[in-house]
Amino acid sequence: MSSYTYDARQDYAGFENLTEAQQALGDQINRQARQDGSDRKDLLRAADAPPGDKAALAEVWGGPGAGEEFLR
């Protein structure tokens, strides 16, 4: 199981430290992942969002350093 794929109880762990825009993006990705089984990292890569927002969510879901790919 990918670190980007949690069960529904853990979907929003760490969101309290994100901006409203980052939380909205994360919620959108969580809902899509639950609906069709997509991997959150793939959805995050495909999202039309600022790199900083993607990086912040990557750090929440993938751990420290996971956001670097979005900031290059």
Side-chain angles (χ1 to χ4, degrees), residues 15-63:
F15 272 36
E16 65 275 0
N17 297 318
L18 300 176
T19 67
E20 286 184 28
Q22 293 164 349
Q23 289 176 4
L25 176 62
D27 181 53
Q28 176 186 359
I29 289 172
N30 278 331
R31 284 185 283 116
Q32 185 174 351
R34 283 193 305 271
Q35 180 180 349
D36 63 18
S38 297
D39 185 79
R40 286 174 176 78
K41 189 172 187 179
D42 292 338
L43 294 171
L44 192 56
R45 285 180 178 144
D48 182 21
D53 289 355
K54 291 181 177 188
L57 281 165
E59 296 281 323
V60 167
W61 290 329

